[in-house]
Amino acid sequence: MLIIGAIASALGIAGALAIDWFPKVGSTQADDIDTLFDVLLIASVPIFVLVQSIVLYCVWKFRMRPGDELKDGPPIHGNTALEVIWTTIPALLLVGLCAYAYVVLGDMEEKEPNTMVVNVTGEQFTWTFQYPAENGGKPVRTNQLYLPAGRPVKFNVRSKDVIHDFWVPEFRMKIDAVPGITTEYRITTTRDARSYPVVCAELCGLGHATMRQTAHVLPEAEFETWMQRKRAEAQNT
Amino acid sequence: MTARLRAPGMPRAGLGLALGIALSYAIVLPVRALYGFEPLVDGDAVTIVALLAAPFGFLFGLGAFDYWFYWASGRPTRPEDHSGHGATSWRDYFRVNTDHKVIGIQYTVTSFFFLLVGGALAMLMRAELAQPGMQFVSTDAFNGLFSVHASILIFLFIIPVFAGLANFVLPLMIGAPDMAFPRLNALSYWLLPIAGTMMLLSFLVPGGSFATGWTAYAPLSTDAPLGQLFFTIGVQFAGASSVATALNFLVTIITMRAPGMSFWRMPLLVWANFSTSLLVVIATPFIAASQFFVLLDRALGFNFFVPDRGGDVLMYQHVFWFYSHPAVYIMMLPGFGIISEIISVKARKPIFGYRMMAFSLLAIVVLGFTVWAHHMFVSGMQEWIRVPMMITTAIIAVPTGIKIFSWLATLWRGVLHLDTPMLFALGFLTMFVLGGISGVMLAMIPVVIHVSDTYFIVAHIHYVLFGGSLFTIFAGVYYWFPKMTGRMYDERLGKIHFWITFIGFNLTFGPMHLIGMKGMPRRVADYAEQFAGWNLFISLASFAVGLSTLIFVYNMVASWRGGPRAEANPWRALTLEWQVSSPPPIFNFDQIPTVVGGPYEYGVPGAVHGVFKKPGEVAPAPAGRVATAPKKE
């Protein structure tokens, strides 16, 4: 029984980890979250396998056979030791997982030096990205998000009308854009230069499903060129 | 005709409805004239008042308040001769009936009607989602479909169907002749069709049905077209029904148990409904409040959720989830009770760890109030509250785990009767574990930040509410069908129903975990090309689930009309409801039973739970000893 359970768990874990669960990794936060999810999978599969194998074993071994119609099982009312075990072990496991998640959360939200700030504003049904002014110039506004690769970024998120949610699945982070307050989160983009979808994740009305834009992560130098050009454009308008 | 319009019943209810609408005009027009509003006749304003006034007119007409009015006005009340008890024809189900067995069936049948409606809405959604791009409906109509789907299935199916099943069996289980407040019970039922009709009528309103999800977050809901109010006010009626029933259950359980039935001799279904009723009574006023805020903002221009006027948008979510998280336990604990009954009877063994089963229910009640903000980890609320809520959310898995493990231990070495109720019970056991596991994952803040508002959430809630609650409801309906109708259902069709549902359910909701993790947001009418394959697969699987429901409906209808007569106790169960005929006598017990032992003493030679003798003739065993005394073999 135990050996079969162990083998089934091992196979289950291998299978669960073999599934390609995640979108591409677009931020260092993504690595943290993906590892945490893998750990949760590893902790969950044995519990799932345990329950399924006991049910299947009972169905196979203890099912009523012809002639047993009027038979009863043994009157077992409980077992204190067993009940203590299945209360404390899950409790310890859960507290352990919470502690790990807490550490991951701290890493993800750590403030990095040299952080670039982007102001994100949601409205029905579009996002606007604003790069704060530098050296007395004018701020730069765009409809597509441009970010330098490998740089910490902080998003200040606001809303003009209803609640939206600023999400780039590849960054793994999201936060609601709430009317009346400014919310925020931080990411550090990875070194790869790629484009990702910007998704509104909170139901915001009839255009919710189409509230999509693009986040372009550019190599540092290319981003600087783009930014220079945009600043010049902003200055001239 | 005048006589029919004077006597309580459907004709007078129609008249009351018309008078309610007329009253709305009579209130709105003078008020608008006094304030000098233009135009004088405003459809929105009249509709909103009518949504409140017309239902009361309907209830007056139906006779739900007759007794109380006679009593309050000092006129002679008609002494309750119980002539209203029982049902001899289908017409008796369409009037105010104070018999808990009739009300139980009214509740159950009404909620299954709404299951079919809610399911049909899901089929429409899956048809639209079978391919990317827009096929059948507009984005606004799609938002309406999932909003009404969720609202109907939560407020008009899962919550009331449990109240319906318990209404029928709970008084029988505790040896009571009826519920404590039969007239309140009848009123609770009649509030339900009102709430459901209101939500469905919203499809006919200019601007379409409410389309802000069942969560109706402000300020989206406070700016929405008129249809939103059909949710806002409909929920008030469903909520009032829920609170009234819960109070009724609490009083019934506390005061009307048969002699000898101590709390520690109550069947776990009774414990489960006791716990659920506590949750309902404490939590439901909060959703009522949240919807009154929306109503006042939307209808009278209050500024509860207008930040420029000092409003607070996040406050809505806190008040809403302070009800709506406990609500998931309101939708699950009665199911736990049903499963405990079925597993013990069908495994022919006492429930393992009876007292811990009861304590874990109470632990869930308490912990259930400490986790609501885990729905708000990405809402922008203050950050420090996240970690304590993560810990309580994870810890609530411990009492739930105790229940799962105790059920497994109950199966161990039993004699398993694998008929339809048991198959659904085992299906619940295996599926609910998955919902629980994804629930623990959803406690972990970093994971939630990525997957909240995605299909991962959709998968989780359906593993909990479909693989969890709905499986227990099917199990319970099959299990008590003989008692409620006096007929046996078709076992073969029941098993076919189980297997198609079980497989179709997993094929439908299993892949949603993956596409959610991959980045598909929920509540969208259209999606990126990369999710097309899985969505087609999910839609096809969901149609199989839809079809399996038709098998269930056919089985229920055909068996009720012409199934073989059921014996009093086809499952050889010990609990009291099986000790009377099927269906039970009109006043439940010709003799009040005396409870002399625990409810699950299977395998104990000569054990009985209740005996039908006069109280003086039997000496009840000391409370609690029999149910839990550990017996070593």
Side-chain angles (χ1 to χ4, degrees):
Chain A
M1 229 356 227
L2 268 179
I3 298 167
I4 297 174
I7 295 171
S9 297
L11 289 176
I13 291 173
L17 294 180
I19 296 174
D20 178 20
W21 285 98
F22 311 106
K24 290 194 188 81
V25 171
S27 72
T28 54
Q29 279 73 9
D31 283 323
D32 295 340
I33 292 178
D34 295 357
T35 314
L36 173 63
F37 185 73
D38 284 341
V39 170
L40 289 171
L41 278 180
I42 293 169
S44 308
V45 169
I47 294 172
F48 179 70
V49 168
L50 176 78
V51 173
Q52 309 305 318
S53 28
I54 292 179
V55 170
L56 290 176
Y57 181 79
C58 288
V59 166
W60 168 68
K61 181 79 198 241
F62 305 123
R63 72 179 186 281
M64 185 190 72
R65 294 184 168 72
D68 288 353
E69 279 81 2
L70 297 177
K71 261 199 187 154
D72 285 347
I76 306 166
H77 286 84
N79 181 321
T80 310
L82 211 51
E83 287 173 44
V84 170
I85 290 173
W86 69 45
T87 309
T88 44
I89 291 186
L92 292 174
L93 179 69
L94 288 165
V95 170
L97 289 173
C98 283
Y100 175 43
Y102 177 70
V103 172
V104 172
L105 184 69
D107 286 351
M108 282 164 45
E109 297 188 336
E110 202 170 341
K111 296 188 172 75
E112 305 277 349
N114 190 27
T115 298
M116 187 179 109
V117 173
V118 181
N119 294 313
V120 181
T121 307
E123 66 191 288
Q124 290 172 325
F125 299 96
T126 187
W127 296 105
T128 320
F129 306 98
Q130 191 230 42
Y131 301 80
E134 272 174 14
N135 314 325
K138 283 185 182 167
V140 170
R141 287 169 173 283
T142 60
N143 286 323
Q144 308 298 327
L145 177 62
Y146 288 86
L147 295 172
R151 173 101 182 262
V153 186
K154 180 182 165 213
F155 298 105
N156 290 325
V157 184
R158 297 182 185 86
S159 167
K160 281 188 184 170
D161 37 46
V162 299
I163 302 176
H164 303 273
D165 189 291
F166 176 58
W167 184 38
V168 178
E170 282 75 5
F171 296 158
R172 303 289 189 278
M173 301 289 283
K174 67 160 74 75
I175 194 88
D176 281 3
V178 184
I181 60 174
T182 303
T183 55
E184 56 172 62
Y185 67 78
R186 294 157 187 277
I187 60 155
T188 304
T189 53
T190 52
R191 290 271 157 207
D192 316 335
R194 286 204 187 106
S195 295
Y196 311 118
V198 177
V199 177
C200 175
E202 182 67 59
L203 178 63
C204 60
L206 56 95
H208 169 58
T210 49
M211 190 167 161
R212 301 281 178 278
Q213 270 132 295
T214 311
H216 304 276
V217 179
L218 307 175
E220 187 88 48
E222 214 175 298
F223 176 79
E224 280 309 321
T225 330
W226 175 83
M227 188 50 111
Q228 297 299 338
R229 203 180 73 231
K230 282 286 171 187
R231 290 211 184 281
E233 278 174 25
Q235 213 61 43
N236 296 334
T237 47
Chain B
M1 194 61 207
T2 14
R4 286 185 69 192
L5 281 179
R6 286 171 63 91
M10 280 296 171
R12 203 179 78 173
L15 180 67
L17 195 67
L19 287 176
I21 294 170
L23 180 70
S24 316
Y25 277 98
I27 294 172
V28 171
L29 297 191
V31 170
R32 288 185 74 86
L34 281 174
Y35 274 93
F37 289 157
E38 289 292 329
L40 190 62
V41 183
D42 178 73
D44 267 33
V46 174
T47 311
I48 292 168
V49 178
L51 281 175
L52 291 163
F56 281 102
F58 174 82
L59 290 171
F60 285 133
L62 200 63
F65 303 113
D66 274 22
Y67 183 92
W68 294 319
F69 279 149
Y70 277 98
W71 183 82
S73 63
R75 291 167 67 183
T77 48
R78 294 166 208 153
E80 181 57 88
D81 59 354
H82 301 287
S83 57
H85 265 57
T88 48
S89 86
W90 61 270
R91 282 191 188 83
D92 288 337
Y93 290 99
F94 288 87
R95 58 181 179 79
V96 177
N97 198 315
T98 53
D99 184 345
H100 77 96
K101 298 184 290 299
V102 175
I103 295 172
I105 286 173
Q106 285 177 321
Y107 254 109
T108 313
V109 173
T110 309
S111 15
F112 268 98
F113 166 76
F114 285 111
L115 170 71
L116 298 182
V117 174
L121 296 174
M123 296 295 101
L124 291 176
M125 270 189 281
R126 284 320 314 179
E128 172 59 47
L129 289 173
Q131 287 175 19
M134 303 309 294
Q135 276 75 239
F136 306 108
V137 294
S138 68
T139 52
D140 208 24
F142 184 85
N143 290 355
L145 286 180
F146 68 71
S147 303
V148 182
H149 162 80
S151 310
I152 288 281
L153 289 181
I154 289 171
F155 296 112
L156 273 304
F157 176 61
I158 299 183
I159 294 176
V161 80
F162 279 132
L165 288 172
N167 230 307
F168 194 98
V169 298
L170 191 141
L172 287 161
M173 271 187 161
I174 62 172
D178 204 320
M179 295 280 277
F181 305 122
R183 281 180 285 268
L184 183 65
N185 202 14
L187 176 62
S188 314
Y189 164 72
W190 280 104
L191 290 168
L192 261 197
I194 291 172
T197 311
M198 214 178 267
M199 289 188 189
L200 292 183
L201 276 180
S202 74
F203 279 112
L204 307 177
V205 177
S209 67
F210 54 96
T212 58
W214 78 278
T215 48
Y217 274 14
L220 187 62
S221 53
T222 54
D223 296 338
L226 184 61
Q228 183 64 43
L229 275 308
F230 285 68
F231 171 82
T232 307
I233 297 173
V235 165
Q236 304 293 1
F237 285 98
S241 158
S242 206
V243 173
T245 310
L247 283 170
N248 217 339
F249 279 135
L250 284 177
V251 177
T252 308
I253 294 168
I254 293 170
T255 63
M256 292 181 67
R257 281 166 290 125
M261 178 170 283
S262 65
F263 261 60
W264 294 119
R265 280 179 183 165
M266 294 193 312
L268 284 168
L269 181 94
V270 182
W271 267 108
N273 276 286
F274 182 74
S275 317
T276 308
S277 302
L278 284 176
L279 282 171
V280 170
V281 170
I282 301 169
T284 310
F286 285 83
I287 194 174
S290 71
Q291 298 313 311
F292 275 127
F293 289 145
V294 171
L295 178 65
L296 293 171
D297 255 23
R298 169 69 172 70
L300 298 179
F302 283 46
N303 293 318
F304 288 119
F305 307 118
V306 183
D308 297 344
R309 297 302 187 92
D312 183 352
V313 172
L314 285 183
M315 191 259 286
Y316 175 86
Q317 297 173 35
H318 280 295
V319 179
F320 177 83
W321 287 114
F322 196 80
Y323 163 76
S324 295
H325 192 81
V328 307
Y329 300 108
I330 293 170
M331 291 186 270
M332 199 59 257
L333 297 190
F336 287 170
I338 292 173
I339 294 305
S340 295
E341 299 302 318
I342 293 174
I343 285 194
S344 179
V345 171
K346 299 286 175 190
R348 309 305 306 164
K349 273 187 65 198
I351 209 82
F352 193 94
Y354 170 89
R355 287 204 177 197
M356 279 307 277
M357 290 297 252
F359 279 129
S360 56
L361 287 168
L362 296 178
I364 292 174
V365 170
V366 175
L367 283 172
F369 281 106
T370 63
V371 301
W372 80 92
H374 69 218
H375 295 272
M376 300 172 62
F377 282 164
V378 298
S379 70
M381 65 170 180
Q382 67 275 40
E383 288 178 354
W384 67 268
I385 200 79
R386 294 179 303 173
V387 173
M389 291 280 177
M390 162 171 79
I391 296 168
T392 48
T393 305
I395 289 300
I396 207 165
V398 172
T400 318
I402 292 174
K403 302 196 78 73
I404 301 267
F405 294 129
S406 300
W407 285 320
L408 291 177
T410 308
L411 295 177
W412 195 257
R413 297 185 56 200
V415 183
L416 271 56
H417 294 238
L418 295 170
D419 47 12
T420 311
M422 185 62 156
L423 285 177
F424 271 104
L426 297 178
F428 157 81
L429 210 51
T430 51
M431 290 305 98
F432 189 68
V433 170
L434 261 179
I437 286 173
S438 59
V440 168
M441 290 175 172
L442 289 174
M444 304 297 158
I445 305 161
V447 176
V448 186
I449 290 176
H450 175 54
V451 299
S452 68
D453 294 312
T454 67
Y455 261 77
F456 194 88
I457 304 288
V458 179
H460 166 72
I461 56 154
H462 284 93
Y463 266 87
V464 177
L465 292 182
F466 192 130
S469 309
L470 184 53
F471 274 39
T472 69
I473 292 163
F474 280 137
V477 167
Y478 282 112
Y479 179 71
W480 282 298
F481 185 83
K483 186 53 66 185
M484 294 173 89
T485 63
R487 306 272 186 170
M488 291 304 284
Y489 61 85
D490 186 321
E491 190 64 53
R492 199 173 53 92
L493 287 178
K495 283 182 174 152
I496 295 173
H497 170 221
F498 169 76
W499 284 110
I500 301 181
T501 308
F502 184 79
I503 295 168
F505 161 76
N506 277 297
L507 297 181
T508 305
F509 297 106
M512 287 186 185
H513 291 106
L514 181 63
I515 58 173
M517 206 71 195
K518 278 277 185 199
M520 179 164 162
R522 69 197 276 216
R523 294 173 164 174
V524 287
D526 191 9
Y527 49 84
E529 196 62 44
Q530 66 174 122
F531 305 116
W534 274 121
N535 270 293
L536 180 60
F537 180 86
I538 290 169
S539 289
L540 293 176
S542 74
F543 297 147
V545 177
L547 286 178
S548 76
T549 313
L550 298 182
I551 300 176
F552 166 77
V553 172
Y554 171 78
N555 192 0
M556 292 296 108
V557 173
S559 304
W560 200 340
R561 288 168 62 95
R565 297 272 173 201
E567 305 160 37
N569 192 358
W571 316 127
R572 295 191 298 120
L574 287 176
T575 43
L576 294 177
E577 82 272 27
W578 297 105
Q579 313 312 318
V580 294
S581 61
S582 300
I586 200 158
F587 296 114
N588 293 357
F589 300 98
D590 299 329
Q591 268 180 314
I592 292 296
T594 303
V595 175
V596 295
Y600 304 117
E601 299 298 299
Y602 302 102
V604 180
V608 279
H609 174 48
V611 290
F612 290 86
K613 286 182 181 167
K614 291 199 176 64
E617 294 175 32
V618 264
R625 287 281 293 282
V626 184
T628 51
K631 288 194 178 66
K632 294 270 188 277
E633 296 163 76

